[in-house]
Each structure stands twice: as structure tokens, then as C-alpha cells.
Amino acid sequence: MSAYGESPIRMDAPTLRISLEQNPHAPSLARAAIMGFSDGREIPPAKLATLTLLVSEIVTNAVIHSGAAPHSEILLCARLLDQSAVRVEVIDRGGGFTPVPRDPNRPGGGYGLYLVDKEAERWGVDREGGTRVWFELATTTSH
């Protein structure tokens, strides 16, 4: 599982904050928003693809699993961090949950948080402002 906490925040760092309606269109709107946020930044294509995938997975989870009222708000926030990383937060109005490891015997599904756990440097779930799932992803490649 992840380490919890905050990374240093650049006060001048570019940020994204967008309100999405909890509906089947939210994941595609979130992907478009994160692509727009990333435009013009030097994020390698593979890292950008991972960032977009993780955003899509977390927003999809908020739509399908949150238990929030239909058409309630999902808040997507992203900001660049000092150490060549991006932090993404997805906040929904659901009742919260405790992350559990993916069941390998489950046929299909259950890959969203599994992918976040495998790809993000850090991630977590808390009740800050609703149910908040966040992750930090390096935007540079290691050599």
C-alpha cells in the first residue's frame, strides 16, 4: 500500500480543478481535462499515457462505486510538484471505502486501484472533502 501525506507544493505550480457530474461521461471528460492540463509540459508519452489511464480509472471508480447520489459532483484536481511529478486528486460525495488488494480469483474488473498501486509513486484514500483518492506520478523517466 502507499505512504500517506503531502509532497511539497510549488505555489506557482500549474493546477487543474474541474467539477464533473457523476455520469458515464465523467471519465472521458476527465481524460480530456488531464490531457489539456499536460499539454505543453515535457511529459514523456508513456508517462502521459499512464497518467491518463490512472485518472480514468479513479474517476470511473467514483462513478461506479461511490454510492453517491446520481449526478452528484466529482472534483478532479491536478498540480505539478517540485520533484518532477504530478499529484492528482479525485473527490466524490460517496461514503468512503477501505482499499483492499485485488482478488486474483475475480474474473475481470478490480484493476483500477491495482494499477494505481503499481504505477504511482505514492497514493492514498481519505475523507478530505468527501471520499478523496489521490496519487502522485513521476513525470520523468528514470535512466
Side-chain angles (χ1 to χ4, degrees):
M1 194 63 56
S2 67
Y4 288 73
E6 295 279 335
S7 292
I9 299 170
R10 289 180 28 207
M11 297 315 279
D12 64 338
T15 60
L16 167 71
R17 184 177 175 96
I18 184 169
S19 178
L20 304 166
E21 184 177 307
Q22 181 188 346
N23 66 38
H25 301 289
S28 64
L29 294 171
R31 287 190 300 272
I34 204 70
M35 292 293 288
F37 171 76
S38 302
D39 191 37
R41 310 208 195 295
E42 294 184 19
I43 302 175
K47 287 289 187 173
L48 183 56
T50 299
L51 175 63
T52 305
L53 173 64
L54 297 184
V55 166
S56 185
E57 290 292 334
I58 299 294
V59 172
T60 297
N61 283 354
V63 170
I64 295 173
H65 302 296
S66 73
H71 308 292
S72 62
E73 179 186 48
I74 297 171
L75 185 61
L76 169 64
C77 303
R79 67 177 179 267
L80 295 181
L81 303 175
D82 277 336
Q83 67 270 35
S84 300
V86 62
R87 180 181 174 102
V88 173
E89 300 177 0
V90 175
I91 304 166
D92 65 51
R93 301 293 170 223
F97 67 99
T98 301
V100 295
R102 184 179 183 286
D103 179 357
N105 296 318
R106 180 178 172 195
Y111 286 101
L113 291 179
Y114 173 81
L115 291 170
V116 171
D117 187 54
K118 294 299 180 197
E119 296 295 331
E121 277 60 45
R122 298 168 5 114
W123 71 278
V125 177
D126 59 43
R127 295 288 299 149
E128 187 75 28
T131 300
R132 178 174 70 166
V133 179
W134 61 269
F135 67 86
E136 294 174 2
L137 181 71
T139 55
T140 57
T141 54
S142 328
H143 297 273

